[in-house]
Amino acid sequence: MEPKSNNPINGLTEAEVRERMQRGKVNAVKETTSRSYAEIIRSNVFTLFNAILGALLVVILLFGSIRDALFGLVLVANTLIGTIQEVRAKWTLDRLSLLSAPKARVIRDGKSFEIAMSDVVLDDVLELRPGDQIVVDGIVLHSQNLEVDESLLTGESLPVTKAPGDTVLSGSFVVAGTGLIKANRVGTDAYARKLAAEARYFSPVRSELQNGINTILRYVTWIIIPTSLVLLVSQLQAHISFSAAVTGSAAGIIGMIPQGLVLLTSAAFAVSIISLGHRNVLVQQLPAVEVLARVDVLCLDKTGTITEGILSFSRLELLDNGNDEACQALGALAAEAAYQNPTLGAIAAAIPAPGGWQEVGSVSFSSARKWSGASFTGHGTWLLGAPEVLLSGANVDESVLNRVNALAGTGLRVLLLAKSSEALEDEKLPDNIKPVALVVLEEKVRPDAAATLRYFDDQGVAIKIISGDNPSTVATVASRAGLNNIGEPVDARQLPSDIAELARVLNERVIFGRVTPQQKQQMVKALQSKGHVVGMTGDGVNDVLALKDADLGIAMGSGAPATKSVAEIVLLDGKFSTLPGVVAEGRRVIANIERVANLFLTKTVYVTLITIAIALLLWPFPFLPRQLTLIDAITIGIPAFVLSFAPSKQRYRPGFINRVLHFAIPIGLTVGLTALISYTLARLSPGLSTAQMQTAATLTLIILGLWVLTIVVRPLTFWRAMLVASMVAALAVVLIVPAIRTFLALEFPSTQVLYQISAGIIAAGFLMEVEWRLVGEWIKQKSPS
């Protein structure tokens, strides 16, 4: 419970609150960061490939052998794995989202309480402070320079000043001043509730990884449709039974479908969400971890990110114009707005409010203005803010600015206390400003900042420090935090407005001070205009615009509710050192999914080649569905499942689709051509049964598939070698145990054919090694330096 509000408005009574709750006039709206259970099941079960495979399963059960329906079990298992992992991710997301959900301060029975936003009722009186997210629609009852940012609703970035009688909407947030509002629309009745909900709703980031996989699947689908029709016609003309024709056609279609790729991708993202949740990281959109792994420029706000965000008052330095009122004036300014920001709070904690100072007008602090002020009866107008701003134009005092720069150069935060004989008029600086004293504050650098900055430097991620403080202060703090090669700091007031020119400056410089919220937003856009993937961290309301426009917004858990509502990632414990772990998680997902995609697409290529060749030759399809299920399980399914969750430190490289296609097409063609040759040799050998011919082709595919696996997992660490060895052992068990061989319809061909296909496998393996090295050289040439 907080102290009683100074405003005479008492709000609702407990009886009135209960009455409104009984009528359902509450702000409770079902609002989550994750999909519903029905949506999760629908997205994992009702897919295009599941529909195709389900139809084929029915066909096999009707016209073929139940033993060839083995792929149905794999289909069910893959779907269950994807569903279970996403449900677990949902539990993690929903639990963590409660920790970062916006709160509301209401006045009831004359006392101020902080409650969950869902507990606000109709006609409640809410207190608003800078950084607060407005959770209901309401009418302003009292305003003390209240300024509201409605950019999430209207797209207009300029704050709107609110006076008594004006309307405020949910989804907007307070950037300056304070006020009281009366809730006139709550819950589903609120005009902007849907927009506010969508800001936090499960909505996957459009990532390169997902875009690449979707593109691949789209092409595969277009290939499957005509190929399957041609195959069916050819099988019916291949002088085999109707049952065999249907089974062969089904086998070809099943083999072309990369059935586990989408599910493993979703599962990998879901596991990352769970893993990061254990580290107090709320990922509000599933692929956000991948986006951070792609970030090549990270913009950091100094206060609350590099520093702990806790300011302490150091001293008050009187200037030549200093007088005995300076300390009292500072106490009066801080007391009136101590809760508006950490700076005024630190001053108020050190300097008590004087008695007898009656405020007659004020301007609240905002990041855009960079100053605040108040007029007091009999004491004139007093101002507190950035020295460079208060002493601009006709008020320039070089001696004061030199002293400010000297203090800022030691890493201290310096504000100017000034006086004017003129009253405040709107939000304009008065004339005749006289500097009175320098207010010196200190802030502590996070102990984990140096190691974290060093990590990003080692990983080739460019760091830009963007702050509203004095450039010299920012540079010194950055240096103390371990940032190297910081160069000359830039005063953002001198930055060009042209995006291209701004991008040039950003490319050359590292430290930027006196940056306004709008400039932060422009800086993000300028970096993006040059093709950079930009991450932005922040904790204050002045960071919201930039967080929203960045490719990835990262909010500190201790930050303003507005920052957490627009960020994709929230560091709930506020630890800067958590970020390298998030990057590593993203890189693990990207690298592993690429390996998995290589396996799946290689199979699609070689099965498609075999299918087309068999259709043109009017031969029976060389595999039964159960044999393709065996090939898929040993060479792709099980290894892909393990690889998708394995640790990886590989850096992100753009060009996912190109790399996968350059790998899968030549190697897949080599594997497919070799399998066709093995099948042809077996068909030309006298006396071999259909099962022996199929076994020759099946062994070729399995062995070459394992060879492809050894290429994909390189470099061969111990656990990767054990993965390959275990798959070889599984193949040995299949070939040794008679019951399994019988079930899979495997019969060894003659010794001569085994020698022939062995020679073909060795030649194909050598060719694949050459192809892999050529692809590697191509990737090196195409990779950015």
Side-chain angles (χ1 to χ4, degrees), residues 48-49 214-228 256:
L48 172 63
F49 290 149
N214 289 338
T215 300
I216 289 170
L217 295 179
R218 188 165 57 249
Y219 290 141
V220 168
T221 302
W222 282 108
I223 293 172
I224 287 175
I225 294 173
T227 304
S228 60
M256 286 187 286

Side-chain angles (χ1 to χ4, degrees), residues 619 677-690 692-693 696 749-757:
W619 285 356
I677 291 173
S678 296
Y679 184 55
T680 302
L681 291 172
R683 284 181 61 85
L684 295 176
S685 297
L688 292 188
S689 66
T690 299
Q692 289 174 312
M693 298 176 195
S750 64
T751 304
Q752 179 183 356
V753 171
L754 287 176
Y755 283 142
Q756 289 173 337
I757 65 175

Side-chain angles (χ1 to χ4, degrees), residues 443-457:
E443 50 187 333
K444 185 178 179 181
V445 174
R446 289 182 181 272
D448 54 9
T452 306
L453 291 173
R454 193 180 313 117
Y455 169 84
F456 284 114
D457 183 57

Side-chain angles (χ1 to χ4, degrees), residues 431-487:
D431 293 328
N432 302 318
I433 294 176
K434 295 182 179 180
V436 175
L438 297 179
V439 182
V440 183
L441 302 106
E442 296 177 315
E443 50 187 333
K444 185 178 179 181
V445 174
R446 289 182 181 272
D448 54 9
T452 306
L453 291 173
R454 193 180 313 117
Y455 169 84
F456 284 114
D457 183 57
D458 293 341
Q459 298 300 313
V461 178
I463 297 293
K464 307 294 178 184
I465 308 297
I466 300 174
S467 174
D469 283 351
N470 183 288
S472 299
T473 301
V474 181
T476 302
V477 170
S479 180
R480 283 167 49 199
L483 188 63
N484 298 319
N485 304 317
I486 60 177

